[in-house]
Every structure is written in C-alpha cells, then in structure tokens.
Amino acid sequence: MFATTKSCESVEPAADVVSGVYKLAIEEGDDYKVHEDEYVTPEEIDPYDSDDSDAFGYCVDIATQELQHAYTPVYTRALLEDVKYWADRIRGEFSLASNKRVLDHVDASGLNKKTYKVWNRDDVNANTIQVEYLSRVEMHPDFQSRYGDHSEQIKTLRRYNKDHEQDCINTPYTFITFDRCFFNEHKNTAKMRTYWSTIQNTKRLWIASSARRQLVEAFLETAKTCPPITQVVCFGMGALNLKKNWYQSAIQYMAIFSIIQALDQYYHQADSSRPLIKLVLQDPNYETEDHEILRKLFNSNNDISFVSDPDGLLAIDAGTLVVTAYLPFQMPLVQIIADLISENPGQGPAAILCDIMEVNTEKRKYSFSERASPHVARHFTNHYEREEDRFEDHGLDDELMADVYGEDWVEKERMYWLNNMDLWVRKSGGIQEPHVQDQ
C-alpha cells in the first residue's frame, strides 16, 4: 500500500505552513501562550461570509459514495498501524543531520486505488510531525473540486502532488512536518507556581461544586449498564492556558479525573484488587508543563500517559471510555471510531463522550461542518445507546463559572462544556458490577 523513495535530488523550498500548531512562536516577555489552532469549528463559521458559509455548508452525497466503495471501512486498525509505522519513521529522522536523512517521501493508496504522496521532505529543519485525517466529505470529488481550498488536508495533498492537483486525491490521511517552537514554561519556576496555584483554586471550587456531584451521580448510574471501563482515552482536551478564553480545558480535566475516581470506587466495591483505570491523553498542543501539571493533578504517575497520533486511536479497545470536546471537525474522530467498530462491533469502546451530533440512518447528504456520516449513523445506532440529555441540566456554580470563564461569563454567554456533549454507551450483555451506595 505504501512506498518510499530514497533520493539525493534537491527538495523544493518549504511551503509557508502556518495553520494549527505548524508554526508556534512566542514574543519575548509574553505572559501566556495561545494554543488555539486555526482550524474552524462549527460554532466559528461566519454566516456573513458567503464563501466561508457556502464551503462549510455545502452538502455531498456520502451514502452513494459509500455504496460505490462497497461500504468498505476506511480507517481500519491495519491502516492506523501503517500510519503509526510511517509517523515513527519520519519522527526518527528528526534526530539525524539533514544529510543523513534517507526518507524522501511516503506514498499511500487513495479510495480510487491510485497512489499519491502523503508526505514530502520539504522542511529540513522540521522537528515535529502531525497526522492529518480526511473526513468522508473531504474525500468526495464534488467537495474537492468546489471547496478543496478550504481544507488544510486537501491543500497539503495538492502541494505534495503538484502533477495531480486536478485529481480527487482521496487518500485517508497525510503527514505535515514543521519546525515547532516549544515554550518550555516548565523551566520557569514562577510561571509554574502561577499555573499550580490557579489550578488548585479551581480544583477547590470544583470539589465543592454541585456540578461535580451531578457528574459523579450520572456516571455511577451509567456504570450499572455500561460495559466495564478499564481506561479513559481523551482526544484534543487542550493544553493548559491561564487566559480565560482557553482556560476551560482545566475544568474538562477536573471532570475527567472525577469520572475516573468515581468509577474506580464503584468497581472496587466488587473487586478490591481491580487495577485502577488508566488515563491516556492525546493532543498535539501539549508541552512539558502540561505533562507535569496534569500528572501532579491526577496524582497517579503510573496511570496517566501522553501519546502521539495515532497511538490514542490504536489504544481504543472494548474497555475504553473515549472523551473529546470541541475537537475541530477536520479531525473526523467519530468517523474513525465507526470504522473501527465495523471491524468488530463487540470490541468497540465501552462508551463515548463527545459533541452532540445528528445521527440519522436515513440521511444521505452531509456537509464539511458535520461530524457524522452514514456509516457513523449505522454503527452508532446499531451498537450504542445514546443517553439523551444526560448533561442538559448540569452547570457550574456562579463562583466556579467566573473562575473558569471570567467575571463576564454571562455577557459572553459562556456555557459549561458538558451541556454540549452526548454520552453513547455500547449495547452489551456483559457483567454488571454493583452500584456504589449514595453518600
């Protein structure tokens, strides 16, 4: 499926890639970093920009596309293993001098069985690799011909394949390598103290909050019917940032830690020797200080790990609770999960906590701004139960809202992140473990 070329030919100048974390920089004396990437979420589409709204609202017939490819899953575990192999190979070359690097490019087959470059060594100073996946809409020829310039993935593939710019280049993924500037705030003792004292105050408010009690009660109730959870795998929960525009990632981690703690207590009532639930975190924006602070906050170094794409996806198994929130829809996470489910439904994740999405098995046409697809609708409907409105009435106390979102949270109409999330639980006849008594 893949081929590599070893070449001594000169490479083209590096493209000016600045979106996402491709080129992070910090001004001397800046107090904070902003890890926001330039990808667009559905909430950020400008309805007054006709070009923008047209691109993200344009619908293509994904149902017919799936039929044409005989409903074959795209993101199989074998494909993800190939992604990991090449990502590790490319990453391994970063430690070599530029004249010692032997990997020139990587090829992959598209849905049309044609072979295209999915990576080209065009930045000799690269120190970071990012995997970019294509959604079903992005792999559709109508979208590529009309609005391909609105997709970073498609633009990257066209840059790598200049002789095929008019093709529908429908490889499921591409790699981007770039020179990333790391902030290294973990070396600044004063800054780390500020992080820790700020987060500790939020933790104090969270522990005493009604929101925490509601969340614990909800998951203890879910645990009665949910297949046993052995690990929580999180995608894109965000790097820690003390600016209020981005600080909500802190409360998301508080919620995740509380879910794990509650489930550990629940399972230990039946089996005191049961291993603690492990936490796996994958986000391209993490830096060393995120690792250090979250390990300390989680208070269990042996049960928390930070992984790079696609290791988080490959970690998903039948005992996994998948958690994501506000992931840029250019990362088709639920589409990847649905493909993995199709290979062996009984080994799909135990539960999935993700953004609310429309799941309609009769729906044929989808836009770039939708997370689902026909195969997502089929597999989620057949193998999962959605706990409707599970978090609709959850909310943070005013003091905690102000701590997380800023004093002007009312004026800015900020909401508790769980209000926009759905919980999907795998249908299972597995062993149910006893419920923790209310305290």
Side-chain angles (χ1 to χ4, degrees), residues 218-219 222 321-322 351-354 385-388 390-391 421-425:
F219 268 87
T222 294
L321 165 62
V322 173
I352 304 163
L353 178 60
C354 62
E385 295 281 358
R386 175 158 51 185
E387 297 198 355
E388 297 279 357
R390 167 58 82 177
F391 310 108
M421 300 296 127
D422 263 342
L423 181 65
W424 296 81
V425 177

Side-chain angles (χ1 to χ4, degrees), residues 75 133 135 233-236 282 312-313 316 322-325 327-340 352-355 371 375-376 380:
Y75 292 106
Y133 302 96
S135 68
V233 180
C234 300
F235 296 91
Q282 179 181 301
L313 296 167
I316 295 174
V322 173
V323 181
T324 183
L327 197 66
F329 56 74
Q330 288 89 338
M331 167 53 173
L333 178 63
V334 293
Q335 296 181 26
I336 295 173
I337 291 173
D339 280 334
L340 293 173
I352 304 163
L353 178 60
C354 62
D355 301 72
R371 300 185 187 278
H375 83 293
V376 170
F380 274 54

Side-chain angles (χ1 to χ4, degrees), residues 47-340:
Y48 301 105
D49 184 337
S50 59
D51 187 44
D52 193 44
S53 59
D54 286 351
F56 290 98
Y58 181 70
C59 292
V60 293
D61 188 345
I62 301 300
T64 297
Q65 180 189 43
E66 288 188 351
L67 177 62
Q68 291 171 343
H69 295 286
Y71 302 102
T72 304
V74 175
Y75 292 106
T76 61
R77 192 162 292 273
L79 182 141
L80 294 176
E81 290 283 3
D82 286 333
V83 172
K84 175 176 171 57
Y85 173 79
W86 290 114
D88 288 346
R89 279 282 306 275
I90 295 169
R91 194 176 290 115
E93 297 226 329
F94 294 153
S95 61
L96 303 176
S98 58
N99 61 347
K100 299 292 185 181
R101 300 181 183 185
V102 296
L103 192 61
D104 183 72
H105 74 263
V106 176
D107 292 342
S109 296
L111 302 186
N112 57 11
K113 306 304 181 184
K114 293 183 180 179
T115 299
Y116 299 101
K117 289 182 181 179
V118 293
W119 176 72
N120 203 40
R121 181 162 59 95
D122 55 7
D123 186 347
V124 295
N125 296 314
N127 62 6
T128 303
I129 180 172
Q130 193 158 304
V131 184
E132 301 290 343
Y133 302 96
L134 276 73
S135 68
R136 292 299 205 272
V137 169
E138 288 173 291
M139 289 186 278
H140 196 284
D142 286 355
F143 180 84
Q144 287 210 7
S145 63
R146 287 175 178 259
Y147 297 112
D149 59 345
H150 283 260
S151 162
E152 289 299 327
Q153 288 89 323
I154 295 170
K155 288 194 293 185
T156 299
L157 287 167
R158 287 174 175 173
R159 177 164 60 86
Y160 290 156
N161 298 273
K162 295 188 181 298
D163 294 337
H164 299 279
E165 288 181 322
Q166 301 307 311
D167 287 11
C168 174
I169 307 176
N170 52 18
T171 59
Y173 64 90
T174 183
F175 300 112
I176 296 175
T177 49
F178 54 97
D179 181 15
R180 176 176 177 179
C181 174
F182 292 88
F183 299 99
N184 293 320
E185 289 183 314
H186 66 287
K187 297 179 180 180
N188 185 327
T189 302
K191 179 58 69 67
M192 292 297 284
R193 284 175 180 165
T194 300
Y195 269 112
W196 188 243
S197 63
T198 302
I199 291 172
Q200 279 293 88
N201 183 62
T202 302
K203 180 180 179 181
R204 176 183 60 80
L205 294 172
W206 167 255
I207 290 174
S209 70
S210 59
R212 177 183 173 276
R213 291 193 296 272
Q214 281 183 293
L215 182 63
V216 167
E217 290 169 3
F219 268 87
L220 290 179
E221 188 65 27
T222 294
K224 294 178 181 179
T225 56
C226 182
I229 291 170
T230 58
Q231 65 172 352
V232 176
V233 180
C234 300
F235 296 91
M237 302 308 292
L240 296 170
N241 191 317
L242 298 184
K243 278 193 172 181
K244 293 304 181 185
N245 283 349
W246 315 112
Y247 188 57
Q248 72 169 325
S249 62
I251 206 69
Q252 291 169 186
Y253 289 115
M254 304 285 181
I256 292 165
F257 298 160
S258 292
I259 291 169
I260 292 173
Q261 183 181 42
L263 291 176
D264 273 334
Q265 292 175 355
Y266 174 85
Y267 294 134
H268 280 205
Q269 283 198 337
D271 180 5
S272 60
S273 65
R274 188 183 197 269
L276 295 174
I277 293 171
K278 295 189 178 298
L279 175 61
V280 179
L281 298 172
Q282 179 181 301
D283 190 304
N285 293 321
Y286 286 139
E287 300 222 13
T288 302
E289 72 265 16
D290 299 303
H291 295 195
E292 292 184 359
I293 293 170
L294 291 173
R295 285 184 191 280
K296 188 175 180 181
L297 194 64
F298 189 57
N299 197 30
S300 181
N301 283 342
N302 294 330
D303 297 309
I304 182 172
S305 59
F306 297 83
V307 300
S308 300
D309 209 346
D311 289 337
L313 296 167
L314 288 168
I316 295 174
D317 61 16
T320 300
L321 165 62
V322 173
V323 181
T324 183
Y326 307 121
L327 197 66
F329 56 74
Q330 288 89 338
M331 167 53 173
L333 178 63
V334 293
Q335 296 181 26
I336 295 173
I337 291 173
D339 280 334
L340 293 173

